[in-house]
Amino acid sequence: SDMKFICLTLLFVILLSFSFTEQYKVVGPADPVFAVASEDVILPCSVKPNISVFRSDLYEDHEDRNTIQIQSYRGRTKLIHQELQRGNASLKLSSVQVSDEGRYKCFIQSKSWYDDTTVNVRVEAVGRPPVITVDGFDHSGGLHLQCESEGWYPEPDLQWLDSEGISLSSETTEKHRNTDRFSVKHTITVYERDSKIHCRVKLRHHMLETLINTSNIWKQTLLITLSAFTMIPINNNCHYLCYVLICKAEFSIFFAVNVILDADMAHSHLIVSDDGKQVRNGNRKQKGVDEQKDRFDQHLGVLGKDGFSSGCFYFEVQVKGQTEWYLGVTRASVSRKGWIRLSPMNGYWTVTLRDGGYWAYESYHVSLSLSVNPQRVGVFVDYEKGLVSFYDVESIYHIYSYTDQSFDEKLYPFVCLGEGYYSWNTNSIPLIICDDY
């Protein structure tokens, strides 16, 4: 790089009025001096052994005489005159600029002796904190993230890190230089929905980092993703769900509701947890059950305590480990006695796992072809639009939708562990209402 000779009137060229012996030496730093843009920096230079390097005719009225100084340095340089008495000729450079980067020479001479040293100044400009934006999903279910930061010098490194601190590979990289500053932009696709992703931009001595919780992003964009990529045919408009969610209160975390199961409505063999969040089959009549209540007596079913008669609502149920289940919503007035076909005609909108296969019930059985077995099922209802949709939350997959339905009374969440008309499900693994949206 180019050597910068700064004529600053006794800043880097210091004349001595006496003679040195050869034992004296001008000393500077062995390593580069790193300066931060807009801050001040000291450029070290001294005589060893220490001896005064002050001469009075170059110091007037306590100010440096710098009339021949380079214009860009005017008003930004200062010698510490008390230190000159101790052989310290270090220079303070204020309001550092990127253009100040380079090599500087500190030159000291007397009538019979001279020596010099070079100070290598490296400038770092700290840019703006990185900004992570979500660029949507691809057809394989990957979440596209973009991280961008500007205002850095020199060109910084940008890294993606997972929640364990392991570096992730960027897929595309862009960099731009605007005058003396750099901006960087990297993209990545992630498939893990329950981790935190960090975007880190760093120089040798400085680092800024931004965190995004991808689990929240997956939950908040699940339905939009499905409507955009699985093309659900609703009212001849495959983007219906996207439209609904965009227009509804910034998603409101999917219109999630707090579902609490009503033990008074549960089949007498079912055990509902004290908090109303789990139900399992006890495989025999539970003690103290009031048979006079309007319980299910054939289906191993239970309702939520609260019903909904307007707007949108959403809840999730963990079905992991269960071999037979029914999930969905039902009308308040449905019969809970005897064997019932759990279809819209009878006031039930459900999907089911039974005999190793997945089904929906319209006026006929609808076989559902699922690529993976759902571990958690989401149920979304738009009351006014007559829509009930089911999703595999883990794999981001649309299971089934009932469309163009007509609702005229409250709808209640409904979960069921099977029915005993033909066979009896003895699997005691619970169905769990999920709250970790």
Side-chain angles (χ1 to χ4, degrees), residues 44-61:
C45 178
S46 61
V47 175
K48 299 297 180 183
N50 295 346
I51 191 171
S52 174
V53 290
F54 176 72
R55 182 176 172 180
S56 61
D57 64 330
L58 294 177
Y59 181 60
E60 183 177 307
D61 296 329

Side-chain angles (χ1 to χ4, degrees), residues 246-267:
I246 288 174
C247 296
K248 298 277 188 179
E250 295 90 53
F251 312 124
S252 187
I253 311 297
F254 273 178
F255 316 106
V257 292
N258 181 25
V259 174
I260 299 175
L261 300 176
D262 188 351
D264 290 339
M265 294 289 185
H267 189 283

Side-chain angles (χ1 to χ4, degrees), residues 231-375:
M231 298 300 193
I232 305 167
I234 299 174
N235 294 335
N236 298 317
N237 182 354
C238 63
H239 295 284
Y240 168 73
L241 282 181
C242 181
Y243 170 79
V244 169
L245 289 178
I246 288 174
C247 296
K248 298 277 188 179
E250 295 90 53
F251 312 124
S252 187
I253 311 297
F254 273 178
F255 316 106
V257 292
N258 181 25
V259 174
I260 299 175
L261 300 176
D262 188 351
D264 290 339
M265 294 289 185
H267 189 283
S268 61
H269 286 208
L270 294 180
I271 301 173
V272 178
S273 63
D274 291 342
D275 62 2
K277 294 297 183 180
Q278 300 188 26
V279 59
R280 63 184 178 89
N281 187 0
N283 286 308
R284 61 178 177 271
K285 181 179 176 181
Q286 300 303 301
K287 293 181 181 180
V289 169
D290 185 354
E291 294 283 10
Q292 300 304 312
K293 293 185 179 293
D294 191 14
R295 298 177 178 276
F296 290 91
D297 65 354
Q298 187 65 45
H299 293 272
L300 294 172
V302 60
L303 302 183
K305 286 188 176 182
D306 298 318
F308 304 89
S309 57
S310 65
C312 299
F313 64 94
Y314 176 84
F315 62 96
E316 294 178 1
V317 182
Q318 179 178 304
V319 296
K320 183 178 181 180
Q322 253 304 336
T323 51
E324 184 173 352
W325 49 259
Y326 297 75
L327 300 177
V329 293
T330 182
R331 289 198 305 257
S333 62
V334 295
S335 172
R336 287 180 279 279
K337 301 299 183 182
W339 181 84
I340 311 157
R341 182 182 295 279
L342 302 180
S343 65
M345 183 181 300
N346 295 320
Y348 291 86
W349 291 265
T350 66
V351 294
T352 181
L353 166 63
R354 181 180 173 185
D355 300 327
Y358 295 92
W359 305 86
Y361 298 96
E362 297 272 5
S363 57
Y364 53 90
H365 285 64
V366 180
S367 178
L368 306 176
S369 297
L370 306 184
S371 58
V372 296
N373 295 322
Q375 306 297 300

Side-chain angles (χ1 to χ4, degrees), residues 217-228:
I217 299 299
W218 284 84
K219 292 299 178 67
Q220 292 173 0
T221 55
L222 172 61
L223 292 183
I224 290 181
T225 303
L226 292 170
S227 67

Side-chain angles (χ1 to χ4, degrees), residues 13-15 21 23 123 169 178 184 202 214 223 249 268 342 427:
V13 179
I14 300 179
L15 304 177
T21 63
Q23 64 181 335
V123 177
S169 298
N178 182 16
V184 290
K202 64 178 183 178
T214 56
L223 292 183
S268 61
L342 302 180
N427 187 325

